[in-house]
Amino acid sequence: MDQLILASGESSAPNPLVPNITEMIVVLLGFLVLLFIVVKFVVPMFEKTFAERAEAIEGGIAKAEKAQAEATAALEEYKQQLTDARTEANRIREEARAEGAQILAELKEKAAAEAARLTEQAHAQIEAERQAAVVSLRSEVGSLATTLAGRIVGESLEDDARAGRVVDRFLADLETQSAGVAQ
Amino acid sequence: MHLPAILPWGAADGFSKQMLLVILSVVIIAAFFVAAARKGQLVPGKLQFAGESAYGFVRNGIAKDIIGGNDFIKYVPLLFSLFFFILVNNIYGAVPVLQLPSFSHVGGAYVLAALVYFTWIVIGVKKNGLKYFKLAVVPSGVPWYILPIVIPIEIISNFVVRPVTHSLRLFATMLAGHLIVMIAGSGIDFLLAQENWLLKGTSVLVLAGAVAMYMLEALIMVLQAYVFTLLTAIYIEGALHADSH
């Protein structure tokens, strides 16, 4: 070793702690070049990728949350609408039922009134016809009976006063009889 | 401790293998990470995923965990460059043929440690003003009569010893590993050249030991890159939050 050092012309033993200046310069320049490349290209590119990735993930989460919120809101709205529609349908059904009942009642009333009217009319007509019949019968029965009695008795019952009395009596009897029958 | 140069070949001083390897490391790291980061797809491919994992290791595992806050991102480029620059230059020692960790030559370690030293001092002064030096050397909550002892210790440990240990730790571990592998290699060579077969046979033991040391060395190469970067982050954090220490 000593011979080698002597051969290379160095007078003292090499101290490993004494640096070689050229090496220092090379290391310094090499490191600064590397640092420049790292500052200028490597770190910005990696950081950009990291930021984009974080944004993509967070953006995706935000988007999903928004969609979730929208879906919930839509569901609420549909539920609300469904409830409204049900209430509306119930209301309409109730109204229709009430209306139907009212119409039915009105019709019944009208029919009853009509029936009453017809009955009344019929009663009046019957009464009138009866009266007419009574009047016509009274005169007809009187003359027929007089004629018949005159023929049977053979005497003239043309005497109006007497005939009138007889007829009246007869009719009174008749009425009494018919009243008894009616009872 | 300097190999003969390769340009001009064999000269005592000139462009050495170590310098070539340092330049190569810059090319390797820049090419790999630019290629990995360039596409910037939301769903990364294999290359991009590897790059992102490596970047995320320094970004989240060191910068975010140690420095924290909202502006840790400012220091990520420095920490990231340091970690991979040191890592690749250390791993050279485990690569056959290359077999030379760049920081087994002390110059590179001095440069990086000095760079970090000035960086954290500048950060501290920018953040706290000139009061930073007081904050850095006068610990709060210490009785006044102990201060005469504590202040010199703090000055020495923070401003004198710190950059020295920072650089020598890296350099010494790399040099030691390099030497051990070298010595084991020469030892095997020497033992194999012996006439005595028993002595020849013992070279197998040395070989087994050398393989074990090689594995340990590979671990230390990664570990030292991490330690250097971690300490840098701790120094920067200390400078940023000097008032709360």
Side-chain angles (χ1 to χ4, degrees):
Chain A
M1 198 75 170
D2 282 348
Q3 278 174 356
L4 193 72
I5 291 157
L6 286 174
S8 69
E10 287 186 36
S11 52
S12 60
N15 184 341
L17 293 179
V18 175
N20 176 301
I21 302 299
T22 329
E23 278 180 6
M24 289 177 79
I25 294 169
V26 170
V27 169
L28 180 65
L29 291 181
F31 182 72
L32 289 181
V33 168
L34 178 64
L35 187 61
F36 174 79
I37 293 169
V38 167
V39 169
K40 199 81 184 162
F41 303 107
V42 175
V43 168
M45 286 193 286
F46 275 131
E47 289 300 327
K48 187 165 156 275
T49 310
F50 285 2
E52 277 172 4
R53 195 170 295 153
E55 195 181 328
I57 291 166
E58 278 165 11
I61 289 169
K63 214 179 276 178
E65 273 173 359
K66 197 168 157 239
Q68 179 84 36
E70 270 172 11
T72 313
L75 184 64
E76 282 303 313
E77 200 177 321
Y78 288 146
K79 272 184 183 166
Q80 184 63 41
Q81 279 177 0
L82 195 59
T83 316
D84 285 355
R86 278 204 184 125
T87 317
E88 180 77 5
N90 272 340
R91 196 179 57 76
I92 289 171
R93 202 184 305 144
E94 280 307 313
E95 262 180 26
R97 192 178 290 158
E99 213 165 298
Q102 199 185 341
I103 288 168
L104 199 61
E106 271 175 15
L107 281 178
K108 269 183 184 165
E109 202 177 314
K110 216 182 263 182
E114 184 70 15
R117 198 179 57 79
L118 284 175
T119 314
E120 192 73 16
Q121 215 171 356
H123 275 299
Q125 201 168 342
I126 289 164
E127 187 61 25
E129 273 170 11
R130 200 178 71 88
Q131 286 299 331
V134 166
V135 169
S136 95
L137 269 178
R138 189 170 284 184
S139 58
E140 209 141 311
V141 166
S143 64
L144 274 176
T146 313
T147 315
L148 190 61
R151 275 188 195 154
I152 295 167
V153 178
E155 71 181 88
S156 175
L157 288 175
E158 298 302 312
D159 186 350
D160 278 349
R162 278 176 69 184
R165 278 201 305 273
V166 170
V167 169
D168 282 344
R169 199 164 56 229
F170 173 70
L171 280 176
D173 287 352
L174 206 66
E175 268 180 14
T176 318
Q177 268 179 10
S178 71
V181 169
Q183 277 176 1
Chain B
M1 211 46 161
H2 187 59
L3 287 173
I6 53 176
L7 196 79
W9 187 258
D13 212 354
F15 190 77
S16 67
K17 177 183 173 185
Q18 192 255 14
M19 298 175 196
L20 182 66
L21 289 180
V22 168
I23 293 168
L24 182 64
S25 74
V26 174
V27 174
I28 291 171
I29 298 164
F32 175 74
F33 282 106
V34 169
R38 200 186 47 207
K39 282 187 185 167
Q41 287 163 326
L42 290 187
V43 180
K46 274 182 192 163
L47 180 67
Q48 194 188 334
F49 180 74
E52 278 178 6
S53 306
Y55 175 73
F57 171 70
V58 177
R59 180 191 188 268
N60 299 327
I62 300 177
K64 197 177 180 183
D65 283 2
I66 303 290
I67 300 174
N70 295 322
D71 49 356
F72 76 89
I73 206 81
K74 270 196 288 187
Y75 310 105
V76 168
L78 176 69
L79 297 172
F80 175 79
S81 304
L82 275 177
F83 180 72
F84 285 99
F85 188 65
I86 297 171
L87 182 69
V88 171
N89 277 299
N90 285 355
I91 294 288
Y92 283 152
V95 177
V97 183
L98 301 182
Q99 211 108 50
L100 172 68
S102 308
F103 293 107
S104 64
H105 296 201
V106 77
Y110 284 161
V111 167
L112 293 188
L115 216 62
V116 170
Y117 182 64
F118 290 118
T119 302
W120 66 259
I121 289 179
V122 167
I123 290 170
V125 172
K126 254 189 173 173
K127 177 90 180 175
N128 305 289
L130 283 176
K131 204 180 62 168
Y132 171 63
F133 292 106
K134 178 181 168 279
L135 290 171
V137 299
V138 184
S140 55
V142 173
W144 62 269
Y145 49 85
I146 303 187
L147 284 179
I149 308 168
V150 168
I151 289 174
I153 291 174
E154 286 286 319
I155 291 173
I156 291 169
S157 85
N158 284 352
F159 290 98
V160 181
V161 174
R162 191 185 269 186
V164 175
T165 56
H166 202 199
S167 58
L168 290 190
R169 184 183 296 111
L170 174 62
F171 154 73
T173 50
M174 287 307 107
L175 177 66
H178 190 47
L179 283 179
I180 285 173
V181 174
M182 233 169 64
I183 289 167
S186 344
I188 293 165
D189 196 35
F190 174 78
L191 287 171
L192 277 175
Q194 298 304 303
E195 295 286 317
N196 188 329
W197 277 93
L198 276 177
L199 274 180
K200 244 194 229 293
T202 51
S203 68
V204 176
L205 298 177
V206 181
L207 180 65
V211 169
M213 287 311 293
Y214 177 85
M215 296 298 176
L216 180 68
E217 232 3 77
L219 173 70
I220 289 175
M221 284 162 187
V222 178
L223 206 62
Q224 284 304 319
Y226 179 69
V227 165
F228 194 96
T229 315
L230 190 73
L231 283 172
T232 305
I234 290 170
Y235 296 159
I236 291 174
E237 194 270 343
L240 280 173
H241 306 117
D243 44 357
S244 59
H245 280 278

